[in-house]
Amino acid sequence: FLRTAQGAGKGSFVELPGSVEFPDLRSCNNAFAMRTETGIYYGTIERMASAVSIGGGVVDAGMLVYDSILGNGGRGGSCVPSSIGVTPHHFITLNLGNEVRFINKEARKVIQKERVDWLSVSQSASGGDAHGGEAAELLMDIRRPDQIWLRKG
Protein backbone atom coordinates (compact mmCIF):
# COMPACT_ATOMS: atom_id res chain seq x y z
CA PHE A 1 0.00 0.00 0.00
CA LEU A 2 1.17 3.50 -0.77
CA ARG A 3 1.03 5.57 2.38
CA THR A 4 1.25 9.35 2.30
CA ALA A 5 4.02 10.73 4.49
CA GLN A 6 3.07 13.68 6.69
CA GLY A 7 4.49 16.95 5.44
CA ALA A 8 6.13 15.43 2.38
CA GLY A 9 5.07 15.15 -1.22
CA LYS A 10 6.29 11.56 -1.43
CA GLY A 11 4.65 8.33 -0.40
CA SER A 12 6.12 5.28 1.26
CA PHE A 13 5.28 1.61 1.02
CA VAL A 14 4.14 -0.40 4.03
CA GLU A 15 4.74 -4.13 4.31
CA LEU A 16 1.94 -5.91 6.14
CA PRO A 17 2.93 -8.58 8.69
CA GLY A 18 2.15 -12.28 8.26
CA SER A 19 0.24 -13.94 5.48
CA VAL A 20 -3.20 -15.42 5.01
CA GLU A 21 -4.31 -17.78 2.29
CA PHE A 22 -7.05 -15.47 0.98
CA PRO A 23 -6.77 -11.87 2.21
CA ASP A 24 -9.96 -9.83 2.25
CA LEU A 25 -9.74 -6.22 1.10
CA ARG A 26 -13.01 -4.43 1.72
CA SER A 27 -13.89 -0.78 1.18
CA CYS A 28 -16.72 1.49 2.23
CA ASN A 29 -16.80 5.06 0.92
CA ASN A 30 -13.18 6.25 1.34
CA ALA A 31 -12.34 3.80 4.14
CA PHE A 32 -10.88 0.32 3.71
CA ALA A 33 -10.06 -2.71 5.83
CA MET A 34 -7.87 -5.67 4.99
CA ARG A 35 -7.66 -8.96 6.85
CA THR A 36 -4.08 -9.95 7.69
CA GLU A 37 -2.62 -12.65 9.91
CA THR A 38 -1.92 -10.17 12.71
CA GLY A 39 -5.01 -7.96 12.59
CA ILE A 40 -7.17 -5.70 10.49
CA TYR A 41 -5.16 -3.14 8.52
CA TYR A 42 -7.42 -0.13 8.05
CA GLY A 43 -7.22 3.38 6.71
CA THR A 44 -8.70 6.10 4.57
CA ILE A 45 -7.99 6.57 0.88
CA GLU A 46 -7.39 10.21 0.04
CA ARG A 47 -8.34 10.62 -3.61
CA MET A 48 -7.91 14.37 -3.97
CA ALA A 49 -4.62 16.10 -4.45
CA SER A 50 -3.66 18.38 -1.57
CA ALA A 51 -0.70 20.29 -0.28
CA VAL A 52 0.47 17.15 1.54
CA SER A 53 -0.02 14.61 -1.22
CA ILE A 54 0.16 15.09 -4.94
CA GLY A 55 -1.94 12.15 -6.14
CA GLY A 56 -3.68 10.97 -3.00
CA GLY A 57 -2.81 7.86 -1.02
CA VAL A 58 -3.56 6.11 2.26
CA VAL A 59 -3.94 8.32 5.34
CA ASP A 60 -5.00 7.60 8.92
CA ALA A 61 -3.87 3.98 8.57
CA GLY A 62 -3.31 1.57 11.41
CA MET A 63 -3.44 -2.05 12.54
CA LEU A 64 -6.19 -3.33 14.81
CA VAL A 65 -4.52 -6.38 16.39
CA TYR A 66 -6.83 -9.38 16.91
CA ASP A 67 -5.54 -10.13 20.44
CA SER A 68 -6.47 -6.61 21.59
CA ILE A 69 -10.06 -6.75 20.31
CA LEU A 70 -10.84 -10.41 20.91
CA GLY A 71 -9.42 -10.56 24.42
CA ASN A 72 -7.35 -13.61 23.51
CA GLY A 73 -4.43 -12.46 25.66
CA GLY A 74 -1.95 -14.42 23.54
CA ARG A 75 -3.42 -17.80 24.60
CA GLY A 76 -2.85 -19.23 21.15
CA GLY A 77 -5.41 -20.69 18.80
CA SER A 78 -6.40 -19.20 15.52
CA CYS A 79 -8.18 -15.91 16.00
CA VAL A 80 -7.84 -14.83 12.35
CA PRO A 81 -11.37 -14.27 11.02
CA SER A 82 -12.45 -16.22 7.95
CA SER A 83 -14.13 -13.08 6.53
CA ILE A 84 -14.38 -9.36 7.31
CA GLY A 85 -16.61 -6.47 6.36
CA VAL A 86 -16.54 -2.72 6.91
CA THR A 87 -19.33 -0.16 7.28
CA PRO A 88 -19.04 3.58 7.90
CA HIS A 89 -18.89 2.94 11.68
CA HIS A 90 -17.89 -0.71 12.20
CA PHE A 91 -15.56 -3.55 11.30
CA ILE A 92 -17.40 -6.87 11.18
CA THR A 93 -15.61 -10.21 11.50
CA LEU A 94 -16.76 -13.78 11.01
CA ASN A 95 -14.73 -16.66 12.43
CA LEU A 96 -14.74 -20.35 11.53
CA GLY A 97 -17.02 -21.06 14.49
CA ASN A 98 -19.71 -18.91 12.81
CA GLU A 99 -19.41 -16.12 15.36
CA VAL A 100 -20.00 -12.62 14.02
CA ARG A 101 -18.36 -9.73 15.91
CA PHE A 102 -19.18 -6.06 15.47
CA ILE A 103 -16.24 -3.78 16.29
CA ASN A 104 -16.72 -0.03 16.71
CA LYS A 105 -14.14 1.83 14.57
CA GLU A 106 -13.72 4.74 17.00
CA ALA A 107 -13.60 2.81 20.29
CA ARG A 108 -11.84 -0.19 18.70
CA LYS A 109 -13.85 -2.53 20.90
CA VAL A 110 -16.25 -5.38 20.26
CA ILE A 111 -19.73 -4.00 20.85
CA GLN A 112 -21.76 -7.08 19.90
CA LYS A 113 -21.22 -10.81 19.35
CA GLU A 114 -23.66 -13.15 17.64
CA ARG A 115 -23.31 -16.85 16.94
CA VAL A 116 -25.07 -18.11 13.81
CA ASP A 117 -26.70 -21.51 14.18
CA TRP A 118 -26.89 -22.71 10.56
CA LEU A 119 -28.74 -25.87 11.53
CA SER A 120 -31.75 -24.05 12.99
CA VAL A 121 -31.66 -21.36 10.26
CA SER A 122 -31.62 -23.99 7.48
CA GLN A 123 -34.31 -26.16 9.06
CA SER A 124 -36.67 -23.25 9.62
CA ALA A 125 -36.13 -22.00 6.05
CA SER A 126 -36.41 -25.36 4.27
CA GLY A 127 -38.27 -27.52 6.75
CA GLY A 128 -35.78 -30.36 6.13
CA ASP A 129 -32.45 -31.64 7.35
CA ALA A 130 -29.39 -29.43 7.08
CA HIS A 131 -25.74 -29.77 7.89
CA GLY A 132 -24.03 -27.26 10.19
CA GLY A 133 -20.38 -26.26 10.21
CA GLU A 134 -20.16 -25.19 6.57
CA ALA A 135 -18.04 -22.22 5.55
CA ALA A 136 -19.67 -18.81 5.41
CA GLU A 137 -18.62 -15.34 4.28
CA LEU A 138 -19.59 -11.71 4.70
CA LEU A 139 -20.76 -9.99 1.51
CA MET A 140 -20.85 -6.26 0.82
CA ASP A 141 -22.61 -4.12 -1.78
CA ILE A 142 -20.93 -0.79 -2.61
CA ARG A 143 -24.34 0.73 -3.33
CA ARG A 144 -25.39 0.08 0.29
CA PRO A 145 -22.36 0.85 2.50
CA ASP A 146 -24.27 0.34 5.75
CA GLN A 147 -25.40 -3.23 4.96
CA ILE A 148 -23.50 -6.51 5.08
CA TRP A 149 -24.96 -9.92 4.30
CA LEU A 150 -23.94 -13.29 5.68
CA ARG A 151 -23.83 -16.08 3.09
CA LYS A 152 -23.59 -19.75 3.88
CA GLY A 153 -20.90 -21.46 1.79
Side-chain angles (χ1 to χ4, degrees):
F1 282 95
L2 181 64
R3 186 181 213 174
T4 303
Q6 294 288 353
K10 298 180 181 178
S12 62
F13 287 94
V14 176
E15 183 176 346
L16 301 175
S19 65
V20 290
E21 196 169 322
F22 299 103
D24 279 339
L25 175 63
R26 304 296 174 108
S27 65
C28 177
N29 300 332
N30 289 339
F32 72 90
M34 185 166 133
R35 179 176 62 104
T36 70
E37 187 176 30
T38 307
I40 299 172
Y41 179 69
Y42 63 91
T44 304
I45 299 170
E46 187 175 288
R47 299 171 197 263
M48 300 290 194
S50 68
V52 175
S53 65
I54 307 236
V58 176
V59 294
D60 300 327
M63 180 72 72
L64 186 58
V65 180
Y66 297 129
D67 285 342
S68 68
I69 56 173
L70 302 179
N72 194 19
R75 287 190 296 265
S78 177
C79 61
V80 178
S82 58
S83 184
I84 65 167
V86 61
T87 70
H89 305 287
H90 301 93
F91 299 116
I92 301 169
T93 65
L94 172 68
N95 68 17
L96 291 175
N98 291 330
E99 185 176 70
V100 180
R101 293 180 189 242
F102 301 84
I103 304 158
N104 183 289
K105 282 183 173 182
E106 295 298 319
R108 296 189 182 25
K109 292 185 180 182
V110 176
I111 57 168
Q112 184 177 350
K113 290 190 257 187
E114 296 288 330
R115 185 166 175 80
V116 179
D117 182 7
W118 289 116
L119 189 58
S120 65
V121 170
S122 296
Q123 285 178 345
S124 65
S126 66
D129 288 337
H131 302 294
E134 295 183 32
E137 68 177 318
L138 297 170
L139 299 174
M140 297 178 59
D141 183 349
I142 60 170
R143 297 169 293 180
R144 297 178 176 177
D146 58 337
Q147 294 182 5
I148 294 183
W149 292 274
L150 179 61
R151 182 182 82 152
K152 182 179 176 182

